[in-house]
């Protein structure tokens, strides 16, 4: 049996699509199906809660804690605060009701890798998420310039949103996995036709439609519909055209 990989790309609020997708993937294939999981930008949150066997917790956060001005507040620009409140999100992950189970995450059999962007060179870098600095890594890969102005350094290097360089990293990741004998790669993206399958082992899970009006749309009803869209599109792809055998 070949090895399997999951790649979760970002999309700001459109990342709600991935929350629904991983809920289905976890239900159908189980928590130990993937040997390696890559993420970038908000995909890191789905990656973490999938590995921690808690996709339902991530879904609940998307449903109840992201809408309105909770995560993105453009009025913060006039208050000298980051528009994107990543610190609020990290506090949720450490709270009693929405806590990320780090013990289970670290014990996961999957290798967890996160793509970030070197601020100075704008080149991609890949960091192991199973680190004591996991929450700093989460902030780094989501640190969109202008929206999140706090400077994030890891081992002396400043990093910003991995989505800014994932285009450079993606093809090399696919080639690396192919060369290492992976037999299946599932890529979850939040935009239709964003990428094309470059290999027969790549399966792209993309939205058949996007309920959100744009990537910073924080309308609660549309966020919930986007989560459900992710679940339903995954179900249609892997139940009706299932080429992946468990």
């Amino acid at each position: 049996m070949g090895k399997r990989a999951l790649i979760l790309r970002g999309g700001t609020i459109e990342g709600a699509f991935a929350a629904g997708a991983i809920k289905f993937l976890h239900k159908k294939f189980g928590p130990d199906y993937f040997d390696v999981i890559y993420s970038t930008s908000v995909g890191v949150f789905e990656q973490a809660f999938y590995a921690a066997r808690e996709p339902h917790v991530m879904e609940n956060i998307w449903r109840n804690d992201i809408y309105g001005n909770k995560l993105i507040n453009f009025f913060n620009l006039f208050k000298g605060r980051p528009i994107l409140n990543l610190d609020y999100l990290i506090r949720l992950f450490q709270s009693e009701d929405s806590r990320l189970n780090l013990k289970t995450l670290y014990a996961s059999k999957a290798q967890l890798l996160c793509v970030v962007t070197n601020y100075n060179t704008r080149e991609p870098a890949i960091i192991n998420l199973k680190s004591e600095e996991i929450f700093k890594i989460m902030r780094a890969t989501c640190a969109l310039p202008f929206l999140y102005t706090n400077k994030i350094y890891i081992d002396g290097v400043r990093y910003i949103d991995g989505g800014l360089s994932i285009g450079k990293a993606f093809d090399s990741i696919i080639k690396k996995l192919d060369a290492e004998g992976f037999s299946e790669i599932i890529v979850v993206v939040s935009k239709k036709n964003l990428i094309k399958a470059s290999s027969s082992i790549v399966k792209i899970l993309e939205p058949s439609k996007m309920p959100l009006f744009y990537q910073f749309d924080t309308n609660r009803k549309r966020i919930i519909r986007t989560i459900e869209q992710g679940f339903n599109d995954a179900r249609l792809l892997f139940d009706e055209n299932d080429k992946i055998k468990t």
Side-chain angles (χ1 to χ4, degrees), residues 8 16-26 188 205 227 229-231 234:
L8 299 164
F17 178 84
I22 66 158
K23 177 183 177 182
F24 178 85
L25 294 175
H26 191 274
V188 180
L205 173 51
I227 297 168
Q229 190 71 51
F231 185 91

Side-chain angles (χ1 to χ4, degrees), residues 1-231:
M1 182 180 296
K3 294 182 290 185
R4 308 178 182 101
L6 174 64
I7 301 175
L8 299 164
R9 296 186 57 158
T12 320
I13 302 299
E14 291 174 346
F17 178 84
I22 66 158
K23 177 183 177 182
F24 178 85
L25 294 175
H26 191 274
K27 178 180 178 181
K28 183 171 181 63
F29 301 124
D32 297 319
Y33 187 77
F34 298 103
D35 298 279
V36 61
I37 305 176
Y38 282 87
S39 74
T40 188
S41 195
V42 296
V44 72
F45 306 136
E46 281 74 36
Q47 175 191 40
F49 280 92
Y50 189 102
R53 305 179 180 228
E54 300 173 315
H56 60 286
V57 176
M58 190 69 250
E59 179 191 6
N60 185 65
I61 291 172
W62 274 107
R63 285 178 176 270
N64 300 307
D65 300 305
I66 303 298
Y67 68 91
N69 291 330
K70 294 184 175 185
L71 180 63
I72 297 178
N73 187 347
F74 284 95
F75 290 106
N76 281 346
L77 181 64
F78 305 105
K79 302 176 183 178
R81 303 173 186 169
I83 294 170
L84 180 60
N85 195 347
L86 291 177
D87 298 330
Y88 156 75
L89 202 55
I90 298 302
R91 286 195 299 271
L92 283 177
F93 297 160
Q94 298 172 311
S95 69
E96 187 64 32
D97 294 336
S98 306
R99 188 183 304 278
L100 174 62
N101 190 326
L102 293 177
K103 182 177 180 180
T104 304
L105 181 149
Y106 292 141
S108 168
K109 79 155 195 171
Q111 189 178 11
L112 305 179
L113 302 173
C114 180
V115 179
V116 294
T117 301
N118 185 301
Y119 175 79
N120 293 314
T121 67
R122 293 301 197 266
E123 292 295 319
I126 297 176
I127 298 178
N128 183 1
L129 193 64
K130 292 182 180 179
S131 162
E132 292 181 356
E133 296 191 295
I134 181 172
F135 294 121
K136 184 183 286 189
I137 296 169
M138 287 181 169
R139 287 184 178 93
T141 194
C142 295
L144 270 170
F146 179 68
L147 292 186
Y148 187 75
T149 53
N150 294 347
K151 298 178 181 180
I152 306 298
Y153 291 89
I154 299 172
D155 294 331
V157 179
R158 184 181 175 187
Y159 294 107
I160 54 176
D161 191 345
L164 299 174
S165 62
I166 184 62
K168 295 180 180 180
F170 183 74
D171 287 343
S172 63
I173 289 173
I174 297 298
K175 290 176 181 177
K176 178 177 182 294
L177 294 173
D178 202 355
E180 292 177 355
F182 278 74
S183 59
E184 294 157 343
I185 304 171
I186 299 173
V187 184
V188 180
V189 295
S190 59
K191 291 186 183 297
K192 191 173 180 64
N193 299 320
L194 180 65
I195 58 173
K196 300 293 184 183
S198 57
S199 167
S200 61
I201 64 175
V202 176
K203 176 76 69 176
I204 299 173
L205 173 51
E206 60 186 8
S208 56
K209 62 180 179 180
M210 175 50 68
L212 293 170
F213 290 165
Y214 64 113
Q215 67 182 49
F216 302 125
D217 183 356
T218 58
N219 177 274
R220 188 180 191 185
K221 290 183 178 179
R222 289 193 288 271
I223 290 174
I224 291 173
R225 289 204 298 270
T226 302
I227 297 168
E228 294 169 349
Q229 190 71 51
F231 185 91

